[in-house]
Amino acid sequence: PWSLASESSPCNLHAHITLSHLIARYRSGQTHAVSLLHQLAQTLQFRLEIKETVTTANVNGFFFAFCVLVDGVKYKTGMGTTKKVARLKAAELALQDLLPRLEKEKADLPKVSDIQDDMPICGIPSILCRKTPTNLQIPNAIKDQLTKLMNSQPQFSTCAATVAAFVIQTSSGCEVVAIGTGNYSVTDTMSINGRVVHDSHAVVTARRSLMRFFYQHLLMFFSKTTHLVEKSIFQHNENNSNLLSLKTGIAFHLYVNQVPSGAAQMPSKMSLNPGSISTWQMSNEMGLHVSVEGKVFSVFSTALKHSSTKVFSVSPMDKITQWQVLGYQGALLSHFIEPVYIQSILIGDLAAGDIRGMEMTLNHRTEGITAQLPLFYCMMRPHISTVPAVASSTADNGLVTCCFNWSEGDCSIELVDGLTGRTTEESPFKSGSALASRLCKAAMLHRFKLVAKEANRQDLLATTSYKEAKTMAKSYQEAKNLLRTYLMQQGFGSWPVKPMVSDNFNI
């Protein structure tokens, strides 16, 4: 149903270069079979399913069985004494059939040396070419959306110094679905009622806005109203799972107008010498980081210990690392949908010199974890590139402590004070006199209960706290624990844990 050689556009030529790199990594044992299948599905835009099935005939003993489906085409059944082993075997069997076909079609393409210099071909694997249509469409779409928002509220334009946005790509093109700005975390004590947004860094704000977008589309799906169900980005799976999945042909991209703070902001002398990973793998630069009162510290830093009584948040870069393994949907949404990963990260700074550091941070620290993860989870490698910025990030503007958020369907932005974690009096949108943000945990729990009601999930409606609802997402929690243990074992430090009392609330 899909073909590499169906078109000869520059984007497809770039896809072939990326495919060569992905296949080479798998052949050399650097990439897990399940992870490669997910990467191929994103690169080639086919529908991938790895579903549990029945064992083949004449098999003695107790075995689990899985099979891979690519756009509905079923491949050989893989069996094993555990689900992980069976899933891996099924992926390997599928690749035995798929890879020869991919390599054959790749061999029929023109060589890179035969392509004219002005063609947008990128010579560095895993980095998107700067001139691909998608790379130009995304920042243009974000700039247009920001312009619309700021034209109606020009007094808040200085809050857009640090911007992050999520863009959905379909056959119709690219559309901005979530925007967030900001560069601060709360400085006061932890909230015990879920009404305070503790981390207001742009990428975190944008991601929570993306979660609101997911809840909106889940409500559309469970409405049972035909035109709303058709409009929803989600669909039923054909496997034995009760989880919904994204419809075929849908991909998400993340835009940030500067390299997120944390391990990605490595000294240039380190990023220029990627072969020296072993010498700095255990250093403060590659380890986990936290943000305290606008400053970033390594978890190994002695200065952090002196700040242990203050409220902190995990660095944006470490959160992105986590989302690339656990998905961007979070624990609560994991009750309804499969993990949602992004295909690319676009940095709106053509002069950025730390992209190599970001690549190594995202890809090196969690390399090899996929084999340990539960069903549906994997370490997803995003394409990383630079594109023209859509907003300035001057030092003066960066001092603004307020941030705003917006999600598709919102009539106006919401302005939040990053130091207090509450909506400001001047905000165009206010949810009530308590000034609790629409991004706070309590608001997310409210949406969770609405979806649980529409989905007739009595088990979820019976939960007595935000913490309990998150804990019940067993596969997500298993994957999260495996990730944090893996990072610690690899020498990157222990994941900072906030007091759980902050999650012991209900609505």
Side-chain angles (χ1 to χ4, degrees):
W2 49 266
S3 173
L4 289 180
S6 58
E7 298 180 17
S8 57
S9 68
C11 287
N12 283 343
L13 292 175
H14 165 262
H16 287 279
I17 296 174
T18 302
L19 283 171
S20 298
H21 179 65
L22 294 176
I23 295 173
R25 288 182 60 83
Y26 174 70
R27 297 289 194 198
S28 63
Q30 299 179 64
T31 300
H32 188 268
V34 177
S35 182
L36 177 60
L37 279 175
H38 282 284
Q39 292 165 358
L40 292 176
Q42 282 196 332
T43 302
L44 301 176
Q45 290 294 287
F46 60 71
R47 174 171 170 75
L48 172 67
E49 296 176 83
I50 305 179
K51 69 176 187 180
E52 193 167 3
T53 184
V54 295
T55 57
T56 56
N58 302 320
V59 175
N60 297 321
F62 183 77
F63 287 90
F64 292 97
F66 280 81
C67 66
V68 170
L69 286 86
V70 174
D71 283 341
V73 177
K74 183 178 179 180
Y75 288 83
K76 296 178 182 178
T77 300
M79 293 182 291
T81 54
T82 67
K83 288 188 176 182
K84 287 183 181 179
V85 172
R87 182 176 55 159
L88 173 61
K89 185 62 177 177
E92 291 174 342
L93 289 172
L95 289 173
Q96 285 180 11
D97 289 339
L98 283 172
L99 292 188
R101 174 184 170 187
L102 294 180
E103 290 170 327
K104 180 181 183 302
E105 294 194 18
K106 178 165 59 71
D108 295 334
L109 281 180
K111 296 180 180 179
V112 175
S113 59
D114 297 333
I115 301 171
Q116 296 180 5
D117 292 339
D118 59 351
M119 298 281 280
I121 298 301
C122 178
I124 304 175
S126 81
I127 300 180
L128 284 173
C129 339
R130 295 184 179 183
K131 298 181 181 178
T132 60
T134 299
N135 272 26
L136 295 178
Q137 289 176 21
I138 290 175
N140 287 340
I142 297 169
K143 187 174 183 178
D144 290 344
Q145 185 60 52
L146 275 176
T147 300
K148 291 178 184 177
L149 295 175
M150 293 300 96
N151 281 346
S152 60
Q153 304 289 340
Q155 67 272 34
F156 302 130
S157 60
T158 56
C159 299
T162 306
V163 179
F166 286 92
V167 174
I168 186 173
Q169 182 183 13
T170 66
S171 57
S172 302
C174 296
E175 181 183 2
V176 184
V177 296
I179 296 177
T181 72
N183 206 31
Y184 281 86
S185 300
V186 296
T187 56
D188 205 349
T189 56
M190 297 290 291
S191 167
I192 61 174
N193 61 8
R195 266 69 177 180
V196 169
V197 178
H198 293 106
D199 190 346
S200 292
H201 285 87
V203 70
V204 178
T205 300
R207 183 255 183 170
R208 295 186 75 79
S209 299
L210 177 69
M211 293 164 68
R212 291 184 57 229
F213 173 77
F214 289 158
Y215 277 117
Q216 175 187 344
H217 278 257
L218 281 173
L219 288 173
M220 291 162 58
F221 180 86
F222 288 118
S223 70
K224 296 181 177 63
T225 302
T226 303
H227 76 278
L228 291 179
V229 174
E230 292 176 351
K231 188 177 178 182
S232 173
I233 63 172
F234 297 112
Q235 65 180 3
H236 275 302
N237 264 326
E238 295 180 359
N239 55 27
N240 295 331
S241 170
N242 293 322
L243 299 178
L244 304 179
S245 64
L246 292 176
K247 289 180 177 176
T248 304
I250 290 178
F252 284 93
H253 305 271
L254 168 62
Y255 167 90
V256 290
N257 73 331
Q258 55 187 260
V259 176
S261 61
Q265 294 179 324
M266 304 183 322
S268 58
K269 64 179 182 294
M270 290 184 176
S271 60
L272 289 174
N273 186 15
S276 64
I277 291 178
S278 60
T279 64
W280 52 261
Q281 178 179 340
M282 302 289 289
S283 72
N284 292 350
E285 299 299 335
M286 196 63 174
L288 299 171
H289 288 67
V290 297
S291 175
V292 181
E293 295 184 342
K295 299 179 180 179
V296 179
F297 299 91
S298 163
V299 293
F300 299 115
S301 171
T302 55
L304 177 62
K305 296 178 181 179
H306 298 151
S307 305
S308 59
T309 58
K310 300 178 180 179
V311 177
F312 64 84
S313 61
V314 178
S315 75
M317 192 63 247
D318 292 330
K319 288 190 175 181
I320 294 175
T321 300
Q322 175 172 266
W323 299 332
Q324 284 301 120
V325 175
L326 304 183
Y328 284 70
Q329 75 293 330
L332 296 185
L333 282 163
S334 296
H335 287 288
F336 308 108
I337 61 177
E338 293 180 4
V340 177
Y341 300 101
I342 62 169
Q343 180 171 319
S344 68
I345 298 177
L346 308 179
I347 304 172
D349 182 2
L350 292 176
D354 292 320
I355 291 182
R356 179 60 182 167
M358 188 172 184
E359 279 198 306
M360 297 174 75
T361 298
L362 279 179
N363 299 332
H364 174 71
R365 293 194 299 182
T366 54
E367 186 73 64
I369 194 175
T370 298
Q372 304 178 29
L373 297 173
L375 187 63
F376 301 125
Y377 292 89
C378 68
M379 191 279 279
M380 187 64 70
R381 285 173 169 266
H383 300 288
I384 302 174
S385 67
T386 56
V387 294
V390 300
S392 62
S393 55
T394 63
D396 290 340
N397 286 350
L399 295 176
V400 176
T401 62
C402 287
C403 62
F404 68 78
N405 64 77
W406 174 88
S407 182
E408 184 190 58
D410 289 341
C411 295
S412 58
I413 62 173
E414 178 187 63
L415 198 67
V416 175
D417 187 334
L419 298 182
T420 65
R422 293 186 179 276
T423 307
T424 67
E425 292 286 356
E426 302 80 17
S427 175
F429 173 87
K430 289 190 287 287
S431 58
S433 58
L435 299 180
S437 169
R438 58 191 177 190
L439 299 186
C440 70
K441 292 179 178 179
M444 293 298 178
L445 182 59
H446 174 69
R447 296 184 187 94
F448 170 77
K449 296 274 188 173
L450 287 177
V451 173
K453 181 179 180 180
E454 292 297 315
N456 197 27
R457 291 290 302 272
Q458 298 301 320
D459 57 327
L460 301 182
L461 290 172
T463 54
T464 58
S465 70
Y466 180 81
K467 176 183 177 181
E468 182 184 1
K470 290 177 65 175
T471 303
M472 284 178 61
K474 299 299 184 182
S475 293
Y476 181 91
Q477 296 298 337
E478 179 187 353
K480 183 178 75 172
N481 292 333
L482 284 168
L483 171 63
R484 296 182 178 182
T485 299
Y486 189 85
L487 289 170
M488 183 172 63
Q489 291 174 342
Q490 296 298 311
F492 301 122
S494 298
W495 192 275
V497 179
K498 296 177 182 178
M500 286 305 294
V501 67
S502 64
D503 287 348
N504 283 325
F505 66 88
N506 205 352
I507 55 173

